[in-house]
Amino acid sequence: CSSDLAAARALQEECLALGKEMNEKNIMAPVLFGLGMIDLAERKSEAREHILASLRLCVETGGQLQQTSSLIGMAELVLREGNPKFAAQLLGAVDAALKALNAALEMDMKSFHEQTLAAIKTQLGEEAFQSAWEEGSRWSLEETVKKVLGE
């Protein structure tokens, strides 16, 4: 519902202002990601900026699990931009990173991840999906982040 998203955006923006005021990157990173996810839901162009800013802060603070969530958000974004192969590679890299970290997806990302995964498979078909997934699964988390950030 758009009023729920508007309320969520207002809270996120308030949290971001407080995080900036305190210069707390550990607060700002998830808040920027939350704004990016709201932007995705509303199909706003700011989604890329917010998700990438969150990813950069997660790298700075060493939040590897949070980096995987940002990468899932980017997978959805690049899928919408017409690049399902890169989206599949990103999710393959996320899967490999989670295994390397011996971690599971953050709870609030599970259904979003499943929806993105299903949409990618539909667009690519099973064989092309599997190939792209396997390619991405050979990327390290650091390498994947650099690809996303264009470094």
Side-chain angles (χ1 to χ4, degrees):
C1 171
S2 64
S3 65
D4 291 342
L5 288 173
R9 180 179 299 282
L11 287 171
Q12 294 283 2
E13 288 173 347
E14 187 178 330
C15 288
L16 183 60
L18 289 170
K20 283 180 177 177
E21 192 176 303
M22 298 184 300
N23 195 28
E24 275 294 331
K25 293 176 182 174
N26 287 320
I27 292 172
M28 294 180 343
V31 172
L32 283 163
F33 180 69
L35 283 169
M37 296 302 285
I38 293 167
D39 293 336
L40 274 177
E42 295 179 336
R43 300 197 176 273
K44 291 191 174 189
S45 61
E46 294 89 349
R48 174 177 291 280
E49 175 190 335
H50 285 135
I51 294 170
L52 289 178
S54 172
L55 182 58
R56 284 185 195 97
L57 287 175
C58 289
V59 169
E60 279 183 46
T61 60
Q64 293 181 313
L65 186 57
Q66 295 80 13
Q67 289 175 44
T68 64
S69 289
S70 292
L71 292 172
I72 295 167
M74 281 306 295
E76 174 66 25
L77 185 66
V78 299
L79 176 66
R80 289 184 187 183
E81 292 173 347
N83 194 344
K85 180 182 177 188
F86 189 44
Q89 290 168 326
L90 289 177
L91 292 189
V94 164
D95 184 60
L98 290 170
K99 286 177 181 164
L101 294 168
N102 196 24
L105 276 175
E106 293 185 287
M107 283 302 288
D108 56 348
M109 289 303 294
K110 282 186 187 239
S111 68
F112 183 79
H113 177 270
E114 289 168 10
Q115 291 168 358
T116 303
L117 188 61
I120 294 168
K121 284 182 178 180
T122 299
Q123 283 194 30
L124 281 179
E126 191 58 41
E127 194 174 316
F129 168 79
Q130 204 57 46
S131 173
W133 175 277
E134 287 170 13
E135 184 179 346
S137 71
R138 291 189 290 272
W139 300 346
S140 69
L141 181 58
E142 184 181 2
E143 181 183 0
T144 306
V145 167
K146 284 183 177 185
K147 288 178 188 289
V148 169
L149 295 176
E151 296 175 356

